[in-house]
């Protein structure tokens, strides 16, 4: 059960699956009841059908469930299994299931069509005569009593607790029309019958409810996909009893039995069971479902792998480093759930309006009927107007406006490797006008490459490179790796070095045949020719010297290169109205070179920034009136991420950075920054469009219905269409970022 306790004697937290909610009034009512309990803080989400409740230790989960049940709804604590991401989504509750809803919709639509023809098509109506009226009654009864039962049942449950919801409006409206028609048919006091109103309105509402249910399920599909991503079992290597210490064999076990330190096998095409470190084997990993990165990544010994990613062609042996709820996939799932369960400030306003909306509409409907009678109009006209008010005023679209957009937006973000931590973040992304970027690993690849070789005298470049690479082959330093890789790419054949010596902080030294070659800082040489001094001063990267007999012979430069996508990504940030800034610990020349490559204004580049000073730079920009988004990935970025108005952490970085950030990016690529801000802004835009439509619809439609300008049939159709439009508008977010 997903219950947590912060500290003894303090607060606990529980997530509940809520059943029986049908509209925003339901969620608002449950939330209001829970928050009335001393010390309880609750947030109830209609779209996810969940409640997130923090309560004092003096209460128990049973007490919280009891409060919800007394309000007239069901509540079940969500169960969390050991694997974290395998939690079953408890979001399938409703008054009736989707299958039952579909059956009721089909039956109601078919019967309503016949009733409408009998009532509205003059030749048929005239030919049927009185028999047609009785046929309408017989055909409408199953629609009213069975198909519309979910509305009546929900209305009755709420009425027992002195509450009213959208279902109250539907039930009261259709009951009034049905009662009037039955009495009229049996007594003959009038020829105005409204059976077609009952049948057609119920059919419209059921069609709308069914489409909503399907759309909500699609909006949640991203989270469901995440939960189902993980492997179900794993081949663990276990030491054979009674054999030698190194003898092991594979044992297929369920994923729940895997513990940190276990070694497991990943065969070609299999999913990696959990986060870990590769011990042996080489392959490619398809991480697209976790990071959104479409290209497979080459991996080998000591590389980190993430659970749920797919192995390519090679066989890997991996040591588990994280299991269960600690894995990357579990953290992603948690973040997405938190974001979808939370509420934006604008949604809380909509909920408060919905809570008072239904009682107000009941009063308006009664006043409408009285005014029609007071002005000398017929009772039937007054009743029709009152029923139309009841039906068209359902605040369903209002309740769905924010959560459906949030569900779809955050779900699409998860597919793109963008984890938005909560709905309140969306507002921050709208306000930001400045984005502060780190250089290494964000704008650049993070892997230095050989860029320049300058020699002194007549020494050929390839000879200098051969000497340097042969010595550096014994080092694991990134600069050494870049020199060796660069030499091999240029066709240089290395020779075997002997007596390799690492000079910490200075360089390396080794013997090539009878010559001792040194590679490293200038301080390692007695003589450094002027041409090499100048080469080092103008180097756009890290430069080292190579030489022998105390004299430097060549200067070799390696540099971190900009990603191919960085210039376009920076332009996308500009198109979003953001001014990019570059902060880096590198020297000014290197920083300027990278800024020029990616298109950042030199005036917005700050070089030689100490890690601990990033926080101060962000604050300085804020003091200048800028609203700052900070992108970082390390522990030293955590303070700056927290200080920024919008913190964005690269998922390949540290947990501290991810915890301090508002948005976690699973790909270390500045292109993802533009995607995240663009998607967040688009989600906020859709929410506002939905709210404007929902508010505008009810504001305009109620007066029209009260003045008799809308019949109950048109009102039912318009109400259902309003909700469907809101949901479909939200589903447009599923196409964000698709080509």
């Amino acid at each position: 059960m997903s219950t947590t306790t912060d500290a003894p004697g303090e607060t606990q937290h529980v997530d509940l699956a809520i059943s029986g909610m049908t509209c925003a009034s339901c969620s608002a009512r449950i939330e209001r009841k829970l928050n009335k309990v001393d010390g309880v803080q609750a947030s109830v989400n209609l779209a996810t059908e969940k409640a997130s409740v923090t309560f004092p230790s003096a209460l128990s989960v049973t007490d919280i469930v009891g409060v919800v049940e007394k309000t007239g709804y069901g509540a079940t604590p969500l169960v969390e299994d050991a694997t974290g991401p395998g939690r079953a989504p408890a979001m399938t509750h409703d008054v009736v299931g989707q299958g039952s809803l579909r059956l009721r919709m089909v039956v109601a639509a078919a019967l309503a069509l016949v009733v409408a023809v009998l009532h509205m098509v003059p030749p048929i109506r005239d030919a049927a005569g009185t028999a047609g009226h009785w046929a309408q009654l017989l055909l409408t009864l199953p629609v009213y009593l069975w198909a519309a039962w979910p509305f009546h049942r929900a209305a009755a449950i709420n009425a027992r607790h002195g509450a009213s919801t959208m279902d109250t409006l539907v039930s009261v409206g259709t009951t009034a029309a049905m009662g009037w028609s039955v009495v009229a048919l049996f007594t003959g006091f009038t020829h105005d019958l409204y059976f077609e109103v009952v049948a057609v309105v119920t059919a419209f509402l059921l069609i709308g409810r069914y489409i909503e249910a399907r759309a909500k399920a699609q909006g949640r599909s991203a989270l469901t996909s995440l939960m189902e991503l993980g492997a179900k079992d794993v081949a663990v290597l276990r030491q054979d009893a009674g054999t030698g210490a190194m003898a092991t064999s594979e044992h297929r076990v369920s994923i729940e039995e895997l513990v940190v330190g276990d070694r497991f096998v990943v065969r070609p095409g299999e999913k990696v069971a959990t986060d870990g470190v590769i011990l042996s084997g080489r392959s490619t990993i398809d991480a697209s479902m976790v990071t959104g990165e479409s290209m497979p990544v080459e991996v080998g010994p000591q590389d980190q792998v993430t659970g749920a990613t797919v192995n390519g062609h090679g066989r890997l042996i991996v040591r588990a480093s994280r299991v269960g709820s600690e894995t990357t996939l579990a953290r992603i799932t948690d973040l997405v759930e938190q974001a979808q369960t939370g509420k934006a400030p604008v949604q809380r306003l909509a909920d408060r309006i919905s809570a008072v909306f239904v009682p107000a509409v009941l009063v308006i409907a009664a006043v409408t009927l009285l005014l029609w009678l007071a002005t000398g109009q017929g009772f039937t006209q007054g009743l029709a107007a009152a029923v139309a008010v009841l039906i068209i005023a359902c605040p369903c679209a209002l309740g769905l406006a924010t959560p459906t957009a949030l569900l779809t937006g955050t779900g699409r973000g998860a597919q793109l490797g963008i984890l938005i931590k909560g709905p309140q973040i969306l507002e921050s992304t709208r306000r930001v006008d400045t984005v502060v970027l780190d250089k290494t690993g964000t704008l650049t690849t993070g892997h230095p490459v050989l860029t320049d070789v300058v020699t002194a005298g007549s020494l050929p470049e390839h000879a200098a490179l051969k000497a340097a690479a042969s010595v550096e082959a014994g080092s694991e330093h990134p600069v050494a790796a870049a020199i060796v890789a660069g030499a091999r790419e240029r066709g240089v054949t290395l020779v075997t070095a002997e007596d390799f010596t690492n000079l910490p902080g200075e360089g390396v030294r080794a013997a090539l045949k009878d010559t001792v070659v040194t590679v490293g800082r200038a301080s390692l040489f007695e003589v450094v020719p002027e041409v090499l001094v100048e080469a080092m001063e103008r180097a756009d990267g890290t430069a080292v010297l190579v030489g022998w007999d105390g004299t430097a012979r060549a200067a070799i430069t390696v540099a971190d290169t900009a990603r191919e996508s960085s210039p376009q990504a920076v332009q996308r940030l500009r198109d979003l109205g953001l001014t990019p800034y570059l902060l880096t610990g590198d020297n000014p020349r290197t920083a300027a070179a990278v800024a020029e490559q990616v298109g950042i204004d030199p005036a917005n580049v700050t070089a030689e920034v100490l890690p601990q000073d990033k926080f101060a730079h962000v604050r300085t920009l804020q003091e200048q009136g800028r609203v700052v988004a900070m992108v970082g990935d390390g522990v030293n970025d955590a303070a700056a991420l927290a200080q920024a108005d919008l913190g964005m952490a690269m998922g390949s970085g540290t947990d501290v950075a991810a915890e301090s950030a508002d948005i976690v990016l699973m790909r270390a690529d500045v292109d993802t920054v533009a995607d995240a801000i663009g998607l967040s802004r688009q989600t906020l835009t859709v929410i506002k469009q939905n709210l404007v439509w929902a508010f505008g619809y009810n504001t305009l439609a109620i007066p029209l219905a009260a003045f008799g300008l809308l019949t109950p049939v048109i009102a039912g159709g318009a109400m259902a269409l309003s909700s469907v439009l809101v949901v479909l508008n939200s589903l447009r977010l599923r196409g964000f970022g698709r080509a």
Side-chain angles (χ1 to χ4, degrees):
M1 189 168 66
S2 63
T3 308
T4 58
T5 303
D6 293 340
E10 295 187 356
T11 61
Q12 300 182 69
H13 179 267
V14 65
D15 291 324
L16 302 173
I18 304 295
S19 59
M21 292 194 297
T22 56
C23 67
S25 297
C26 302
S27 57
R29 184 160 179 267
I30 298 171
E31 188 172 291
R32 190 170 63 251
K33 290 288 184 183
L34 285 170
N35 285 325
K36 279 186 178 178
V37 181
D38 285 342
V40 173
Q41 290 185 331
S43 175
V44 182
N45 191 303
L46 172 64
T48 58
E49 294 167 4
K50 282 185 177 180
S52 176
V53 187
T54 302
F55 57 98
S57 297
L59 298 175
S60 65
V61 174
T62 305
D63 297 328
I64 300 300
V65 170
V67 172
V68 177
E69 291 178 345
K70 284 180 182 176
T71 313
Y73 303 89
T76 307
L78 289 174
V79 176
E80 182 176 10
D81 66 28
T83 60
R87 287 173 297 177
M91 296 183 290
T92 56
H93 300 355
D94 209 335
V95 174
V96 294
Q98 194 167 319
S100 174
L101 196 60
R102 182 173 60 246
L103 179 61
R104 291 170 194 269
M105 174 192 70
V106 171
V107 172
L111 295 178
L113 179 62
V114 178
V115 173
V117 169
L118 284 173
H119 184 82
M120 296 179 171
V121 180
I124 298 177
R125 181 183 60 199
D126 297 339
T130 306
H133 296 163
W134 289 100
Q136 289 183 47
L137 170 63
L138 293 176
L139 294 171
T140 306
L141 273 177
V143 176
Y144 174 75
L145 295 175
W146 175 75
W149 171 246
F151 303 117
H152 302 316
R153 180 175 178 272
I157 291 173
N158 285 287
R160 282 210 309 270
H161 298 279
S164 55
T165 67
M166 184 197 84
D167 300 286
T168 306
L169 302 180
V170 176
S171 183
V172 170
T174 54
T175 300
M178 189 72 186
W180 168 275
S181 303
V182 170
V183 172
L185 184 60
F186 278 93
T187 62
F189 79 93
T190 178
H191 296 296
D192 294 321
L193 305 179
Y194 291 103
F195 290 122
E196 92 287 358
V197 170
V198 178
V200 175
V201 165
T202 301
F204 275 151
L205 294 175
L206 286 171
I207 291 171
R209 187 70 65 83
Y210 177 70
I211 294 175
E212 282 175 29
R214 282 180 56 87
K216 285 197 298 184
Q218 290 176 21
R220 295 189 293 240
S221 62
L223 181 58
T224 307
S225 300
L226 278 175
M227 292 175 170
E228 294 173 350
L229 265 183
K232 302 296 182 271
D233 55 22
V234 55
V236 178
L237 292 176
R238 296 270 163 79
Q239 186 176 334
D240 295 333
T243 62
M246 299 301 292
T248 58
S249 59
E250 292 183 22
H251 296 268
R252 205 80 193 176
V253 300
S254 69
I255 194 70
E256 290 84 0
E257 297 179 42
L258 197 63
V259 298
V260 172
D262 273 351
R263 293 177 300 152
F264 59 93
V265 177
V266 188
R267 292 189 174 79
E270 281 188 342
K271 288 180 180 176
V272 178
T274 192
D275 296 356
V277 179
I278 296 175
L279 298 178
S280 67
R282 288 190 175 278
S283 183
T284 57
I285 292 289
D286 178 0
S288 58
M289 286 299 289
V290 176
T291 66
E293 175 60 58
S294 59
M295 293 297 294
V297 180
E298 296 278 349
V299 294
Q302 302 308 311
D303 283 339
Q304 304 274 346
V305 289
T306 304
T309 54
V310 179
N311 183 24
H313 58 276
R315 181 179 184 271
L316 301 174
I317 296 179
V318 180
R319 184 179 65 241
S321 58
R322 290 175 172 174
V323 298
S325 60
E326 301 299 318
T327 64
T328 301
L329 182 61
R331 286 195 301 145
I332 291 173
T333 307
D334 279 345
L335 287 174
V336 174
E337 275 197 278
Q338 287 172 22
Q340 295 185 343
T341 305
K343 289 187 177 181
V346 68
Q347 186 185 346
R348 294 193 180 279
L349 173 63
D351 286 351
R352 284 199 295 272
I353 293 174
S354 297
V356 300
F357 195 77
V358 173
V361 168
L362 289 171
V363 172
I364 292 172
V367 170
T368 298
L369 178 60
L370 293 175
L371 286 178
W372 275 76
L373 295 176
T375 55
Q377 304 296 322
F379 184 79
T380 54
Q381 290 87 347
L383 178 65
V387 170
V389 168
L390 290 172
I391 291 171
I392 205 164
C394 296
C396 201
L398 198 59
L400 291 170
T402 301
T404 52
L406 200 59
L407 271 174
T408 314
T410 53
R412 179 60 185 151
Q415 291 174 337
L416 293 171
I418 300 164
L419 306 180
I420 303 168
K421 283 192 175 178
Q424 69 280 3
I425 306 303
L426 302 178
E427 191 65 26
S428 302
T429 62
R430 185 186 65 80
R431 295 185 295 111
V432 293
D433 57 18
T434 301
V435 57
V436 177
L437 301 166
D438 188 22
K439 179 182 75 68
T440 305
T442 303
L443 290 169
T444 65
T445 61
H447 303 291
V449 297
L450 177 64
T451 58
D452 195 21
V453 180
V454 177
T455 61
S458 58
L459 180 68
E461 287 186 10
H462 77 275
L465 192 54
K466 181 176 184 176
S470 298
V471 175
E472 291 281 28
S475 172
E476 296 180 348
H477 195 279
V479 172
I483 292 174
V484 173
R488 286 177 172 152
E489 286 177 2
R490 298 185 184 195
V492 175
T493 303
L494 307 189
V495 298
T496 303
E498 297 177 347
D499 300 330
F500 177 85
T501 304
N502 185 30
L503 307 171
E506 297 287 329
V508 293
R509 181 174 291 151
L512 302 179
K513 297 184 179 178
D514 298 329
T515 304
V516 177
V517 176
T518 301
V519 183
R521 293 176 178 272
S523 56
L524 296 173
F525 301 93
E526 297 172 4
V527 178
V528 179
E530 187 62 27
V531 64
L532 300 185
V533 173
E534 294 175 356
M536 294 187 73
E537 288 178 349
R538 68 169 184 270
D540 294 334
T542 302
V544 296
L545 295 172
V546 54
W548 46 89
D549 300 332
T551 301
R553 314 284 177 167
I556 299 175
T557 303
V558 300
D560 193 6
T561 57
R563 295 177 187 273
E564 290 184 5
S565 61
S566 290
Q568 184 180 358
V570 169
Q571 184 57 46
R572 286 185 62 198
L573 292 173
R574 291 186 191 283
D575 293 341
L576 290 168
L578 302 172
T579 304
Y581 279 68
L582 175 62
L583 286 186
T584 178
D586 277 336
N587 60 65
R589 185 182 296 277
T590 301
V594 172
E596 184 179 2
Q597 289 177 40
V598 302
I600 293 179
D601 189 338
N604 297 338
V605 177
T606 306
E608 297 180 337
V609 177
L610 295 174
Q612 59 270 29
D613 292 340
K614 290 183 178 178
F615 169 84
H617 279 272
V618 170
R619 190 163 60 184
T620 300
L621 287 170
Q622 290 173 321
E623 289 171 352
Q624 293 171 359
R626 295 188 169 277
V627 183
V628 180
M630 169 75 195
V631 183
D633 60 358
V635 172
N636 53 62
D637 294 327
L641 288 169
Q643 172 65 26
D645 300 283
L646 178 68
M648 307 175 78
M650 295 293 186
S652 57
T654 65
D655 290 348
V656 177
E659 290 297 326
S660 304
D662 301 310
I663 295 177
V664 179
L665 309 174
M666 299 307 292
R667 277 184 289 148
D669 185 342
V670 73
D671 211 28
T672 321
V673 177
D675 281 341
I677 293 177
L679 176 61
S680 299
R681 287 182 174 180
Q682 185 67 26
T683 303
L684 189 63
T685 299
V686 169
I687 288 174
K688 290 181 175 178
Q689 289 172 347
N690 287 347
L691 288 175
V692 167
W693 167 256
F695 275 117
Y697 162 81
N698 282 315
T699 304
L700 292 175
I702 291 176
L704 291 177
F707 285 106
L709 300 176
L710 291 177
T711 67
V713 171
I714 296 175
M719 198 287 285
L721 182 62
S722 173
S723 300
V724 171
L725 285 177
V726 163
V727 174
L728 293 179
N729 190 41
S730 300
L731 289 181
R732 290 191 302 115
L733 291 168
R734 298 177 71 192
F736 181 89
R738 298 187 196 278

